[in-house]
């Protein structure tokens, strides 16, 4: 055992304790950070615990991968931003959820408004915190999924991966761009990296399953998508792509 400590604090001090523990572990393990590494402190990016709770709730709703989940997710992020209007990560989350809402909207005017607000939220995240990978990733996702601005999306993804190369959401959404550019093998690799980094996140499995289908790797696609459905039975994307798998299987 190299290091141990006990922390007895009020819950309102949770962010301070996180930073203290991070610093203590780095010191105890004699870890030297590279100049390009993100700072350990303030990774939570808000001092408001309730805003943080709403942010976590937004992520949880988003993981349902269906219309109701994405709408609830966006509402939770909105509540977080009402409590802390400078919470860049919540803007990035709001952008991602609104982007997905557009998948389920039949009304053209509502879809356009959702897409407009998704881009605005992503740009706000980048403006508030230029060192936050999630902001660039969210904007890249909007540009890929909605705008068809592939050069702009690629530049944003490159910045996001430079800031945090292991982020599962960034890697999964980057896979979408790679697939649209005809780079299917690279798309599958990026989606695999996302699922390996966050095995319980169904969004990454949905994307990986879709591109395994496209590459004719049907047994693995079925396995991945079935896992995604087991984790989140409300997951509409997994059902859709499992339907594609079944069609491809004849």
């Amino acid at each position: 055992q190299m290091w141990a400590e006990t922390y007895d604090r009020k819950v309102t001090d949770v962010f301070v304790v996180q930073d203290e523990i991070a610093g203590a572990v780095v010191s105890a393990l004699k870890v030297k950070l590279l100049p390009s590494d993100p700072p350990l402190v303030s990774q939570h990016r808000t001092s408001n615990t309730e805003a943080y709770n709403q942010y976590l709730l937004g992520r949880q709703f988003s993981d349902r991968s269906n219309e109701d989940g994405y709408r609830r997710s966006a509402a939770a992020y909105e509540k977080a931003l009402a409590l802390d209007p400078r919470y860049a990560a919540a803007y990035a989350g709001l952008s991602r959820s609104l982007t997905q809402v557009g998948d389920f909207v039949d009304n053209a005017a509502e879809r356009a408004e959702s897409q407009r607000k998704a881009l605005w939220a992503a740009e706000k995240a980048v403006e508030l915190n230029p060192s936050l990978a999630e902001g660039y990733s969210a904007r890249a996702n909007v540009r890929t999924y909605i705008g068809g601005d592939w050069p702009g999306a690629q530049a944003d993804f490159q910045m996001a991966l430079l800031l945090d190369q292991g982020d599962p959401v960034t890697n999964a959404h980057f896979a979408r761009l790679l697939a649209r550019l005809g780079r299917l093998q690279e798309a599958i690799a990026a989606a695999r990296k996302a699922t390996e980094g966050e095995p319980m996140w169904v969004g990454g499995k949905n994307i990986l399953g879709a591109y395994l289908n496209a590459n004719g790797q049907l047994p693995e696609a079925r396995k991945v998508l079935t896992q995604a459905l087991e984790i989140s039975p409300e997951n509409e994307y997994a059902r859709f792509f499992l339907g594609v798998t079944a069609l491809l299987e004849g």
Side-chain angles (χ1 to χ4, degrees), residues 112-238:
E113 174 58 20
S114 177
Q115 294 171 350
R116 182 202 64 78
K117 192 171 182 180
L119 180 58
W120 166 82
E123 290 181 336
K124 189 71 174 176
V126 173
E127 174 192 330
L128 288 171
N129 189 347
S131 64
L132 176 67
E134 295 164 61
Y136 295 99
S137 176
R139 189 169 66 183
N141 190 45
V142 175
R143 288 173 165 172
T144 300
Y145 215 55
I146 295 172
D149 176 11
W150 293 340
Q154 188 156 359
D156 274 342
F157 275 129
Q158 286 172 344
M159 178 59 76
L161 291 169
L162 182 65
L163 292 166
D164 187 357
Q165 64 178 339
D167 180 58
V169 176
T170 298
N171 279 288
H173 291 176
F174 186 39
R176 288 173 169 169
L177 174 65
L178 291 168
R180 281 161 174 76
L181 296 175
R183 296 156 62 182
L184 184 58
Q185 297 302 322
E186 292 174 75
I188 290 172
R192 281 195 199 284
K193 188 171 183 179
T195 58
E196 290 166 0
E198 190 64 70
M200 296 301 291
W201 178 48
V202 298
K205 293 183 185 296
N206 293 340
I207 292 169
L208 176 58
Y211 297 141
L212 288 171
N213 273 341
N215 202 44
Q217 296 172 247
L218 304 185
E220 187 181 0
R222 178 170 288 283
K223 179 181 178 181
V224 168
L225 293 167
T226 300
Q227 288 174 346
L229 204 56
E230 288 171 350
I231 295 169
S232 176
E234 302 166 302
N235 179 352
E236 295 179 11
Y237 286 99

Side-chain angles (χ1 to χ4, degrees), residues 50-63:
E50 182 53 30
Y52 185 56
N53 285 338
Q54 289 296 327
Y55 171 77
L56 294 177
L57 191 62
R59 291 182 59 177
Q60 190 70 25
F61 279 133
S62 178
D63 283 351

Side-chain angles (χ1 to χ4, degrees), residues 58-141:
R59 291 182 59 177
Q60 190 70 25
F61 279 133
S62 178
D63 283 351
R64 294 183 179 181
S65 284
N66 60 26
E67 181 180 4
D68 179 67
Y70 289 123
R71 289 188 182 277
R72 288 176 180 241
S73 173
Y77 288 130
E78 294 272 20
K79 289 179 182 177
L81 292 168
L83 293 163
D84 183 355
R86 298 190 61 79
Y87 194 178
Y91 279 108
L94 176 62
S95 175
R96 288 194 298 268
S97 293
L98 290 174
T99 300
Q100 298 304 135
V101 166
D103 260 1
F104 299 92
V105 175
D106 291 327
N107 183 285
E110 184 183 356
R111 185 186 304 112
E113 174 58 20
S114 177
Q115 294 171 350
R116 182 202 64 78
K117 192 171 182 180
L119 180 58
W120 166 82
E123 290 181 336
K124 189 71 174 176
V126 173
E127 174 192 330
L128 288 171
N129 189 347
S131 64
L132 176 67
E134 295 164 61
Y136 295 99
S137 176
R139 189 169 66 183
N141 190 45

